[in-house]
């Protein structure tokens, strides 16, 4: 099969388009013909070697954790899928080697769900990691009926889904931080935009009115935004972050490291098919141009998601 893999860590040019052995299909594995692979910030962090202290890494290392595709074959213990089924997956394991930037992926059954019917493969591939992250963060802070929610980095891959999922969980109001060029995009999603950066708590208070406080917050930005978040909330513990676990836990908040979950992924797909969740894909690249996708993502200004397509 063709795949994007690396044998050393570094700049985007370490990613190469290679011919590698087809993956083995174990008893609980589903062999998926990849149609699209989502591109996430964690992918370039792995490429640079930043996660080597958290997971064993083995080379040649195929990048990517998100996929959408068609089942080619299943292991004898697989019960939920059959050849021809369209699936999506957040294919993360406890070591880093066999990723989704490849024509074929042998995914553990527990990492998959049936693909939403109403979207194409590129949009579907943008859902798993970002959608699961958003949902699991919002649930960690018990976002529910009538809550007002702050979403940091609301125009990004996780953020734009968190805005919509918050409403699906019953939130009455969502405020999202973003650069001014993305404010209209957030309004289209139902959020009230606010510019990030110095003076954020004051701008939020002015926008909210009353006591100037919100109920819950989810953070994908870290840094100053994370440090200022508890002061924006009525209950300073009702915030979650995917950044800087030491800081967020010291604050009494929740650190979330997304986990594969078929039930959660299925629920998100149902939201899409009901028209309640939209995956914004800013741009797609052919698989062989994965390095260019990484270059764009590392610039930090992507609206929504990027995806690689496999023909």
């Amino acid at each position: 099969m063709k795949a994007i893999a690396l044998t050393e860590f570094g700049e985007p040019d370490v990613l190469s388009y290679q011919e590698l052995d087809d993956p083995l299909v174990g008893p609980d594995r589903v062999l998926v013909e990849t149609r699209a692979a989502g591109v996430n910030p964690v992918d370039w962090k792995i490429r640079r070697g930043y996660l080597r202290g958290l997971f064993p890494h083995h080379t040649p290392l195929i990048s990517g954790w998100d996929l959408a595709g068609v089942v080619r074959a299943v292991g004898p213990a697989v019960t939920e899928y059959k050849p021809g089924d369209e699936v999506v997956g957040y294919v993360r394991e406890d070591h880093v080697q066999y990723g989704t930037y490849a024509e074929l992926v042998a995914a553990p059954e527990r990492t998959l769900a049936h693909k939403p019917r109403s979207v194409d493969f590129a949009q579907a591939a943008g859902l798993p990691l970002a959608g699961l992250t958003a949902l699991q963060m919002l649930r960690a802070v018990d976002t529910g009926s009538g809550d007002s929610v702050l979403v940091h980095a609301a125009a990004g891959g996780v953020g734009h889904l968190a805005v919509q999922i918050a409403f699906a969980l019953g939130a009455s109001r969502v405020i999202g931080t973003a650069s001014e060029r993305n404010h209209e995009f957030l309004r289209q999603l139902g959020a009230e935009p606010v510019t990030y950066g110095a003076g954020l708590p004051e701008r939020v208070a002015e926008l909210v009115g009353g006591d100037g406080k919100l109920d819950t917050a989810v953070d994908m930005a870290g840094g100053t935004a994370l440090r200022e978040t508890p002061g924006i909330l009525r209950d300073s513990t009702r915030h979650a972050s995917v950044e800087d676990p030491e800081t967020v836990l010291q604050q009494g908040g929740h650190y979330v490291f997304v986990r594969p979950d078929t039930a959660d992924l299925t629920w998100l797909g149902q939201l899409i098919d009901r028209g309640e969740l939209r995956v914004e894909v800013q741009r797609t690249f052919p698989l062989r141009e994965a390095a260019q996708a990484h270059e764009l993502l590392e610039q930090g200004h992507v609206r929504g998601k990027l995806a690689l397509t496999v023909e």
Side-chain angles (χ1 to χ4, degrees):
M1 68 174 182
K2 295 293 188 181
I4 296 292
L6 59 84
T7 56
E8 60 181 324
F9 301 99
E11 299 295 328
D13 61 6
V14 303
L15 298 174
S16 64
Y17 190 58
Q18 303 183 23
E19 185 82 32
L20 297 174
D21 291 339
D22 290 354
L24 300 174
V25 184
D28 63 348
R29 301 262 165 168
V30 178
L31 184 65
V32 180
E33 297 176 356
T34 307
R35 296 290 186 268
V39 182
N40 295 288
V42 71
D43 299 347
W44 67 257
K45 293 174 184 177
I46 287 173
R47 191 202 74 232
R48 288 189 175 275
Y50 294 167
L51 271 66
R52 282 182 288 177
L54 303 177
F55 297 97
H57 288 50
H58 309 284
T59 57
L61 188 158
I62 301 171
S63 299
W65 282 347
D66 273 351
L67 69 73
V70 179
V71 174
R72 174 184 287 188
V74 299
V78 171
T79 59
E80 292 299 317
Y81 307 101
K82 64 183 184 304
D85 285 351
E86 296 182 348
V87 295
V88 293
Y90 169 45
V91 190
R92 177 176 66 79
E93 303 191 59
D94 294 329
H95 69 284
V96 181
Q97 183 174 18
Y98 301 115
T100 59
Y101 293 11
E103 291 178 330
L104 294 172
V105 176
E109 183 177 21
R110 62 180 176 81
T111 66
L112 300 176
H114 289 282
K115 173 186 166 292
R117 297 182 302 276
S118 58
V119 294
D120 62 24
F121 284 106
Q123 289 173 293
L127 175 67
L129 185 153
L132 289 171
T133 300
L135 176 59
Q136 291 169 13
M137 292 177 77
L138 288 162
R139 283 182 172 163
V141 297
D142 198 28
T143 301
S145 180
D147 278 339
S148 55
V149 182
L150 176 66
V151 177
H152 287 292
V158 176
H160 87 289
L161 298 178
V163 167
Q164 300 170 79
I165 295 167
F167 285 123
L169 292 173
S172 61
R173 187 176 191 183
V174 178
I175 293 173
T177 71
S179 61
E180 291 187 4
R181 69 184 181 87
N182 285 317
H183 283 193
E184 182 55 34
F185 172 61
L186 294 188
R187 292 188 186 99
Q188 293 172 11
L189 300 178
E192 300 168 64
V194 62
T195 303
Y196 62 79
L200 177 64
E202 292 76 19
R203 289 193 295 277
V204 170
E206 182 179 359
L207 183 61
V208 171
D211 65 1
K213 303 289 186 180
L214 296 168
D215 294 310
T216 71
V218 293
D219 167 62
M220 283 67 67
T224 301
L226 174 59
R227 292 192 294 273
E228 292 179 337
T229 293
I232 297 172
L233 302 176
R234 294 187 178 94
D235 177 348
S236 64
T237 66
R238 292 186 71 189
H239 73 285
S241 181
V242 296
E243 300 287 342
D244 193 353
E246 182 177 354
T247 295
V248 71
L249 293 173
Q250 286 178 348
Q251 292 172 329
H254 305 262
Y255 173 68
V256 173
F257 189 81
V258 61
R259 62 186 181 278
D261 190 301
T262 294
D264 283 353
L265 193 50
T266 298
W267 185 80
L268 292 168
Q270 292 168 345
L271 284 187
I272 289 176
D273 284 337
R274 293 201 301 266
E276 298 177 34
L277 183 62
R278 155 189 167 193
V279 180
E280 177 79 4
V281 177
Q282 176 177 312
R283 185 175 170 185
T284 63
F285 296 79
L287 179 63
R288 66 172 62 246
E289 296 180 7
Q292 291 93 313
H294 276 222
E295 289 173 357
L296 178 59
L297 189 63
E298 281 193 76
Q299 293 172 14
H301 301 295
V302 171
R303 175 186 294 176
K305 298 286 298 180
L306 303 177
L308 305 176
T309 57
V310 182
E311 301 298 334

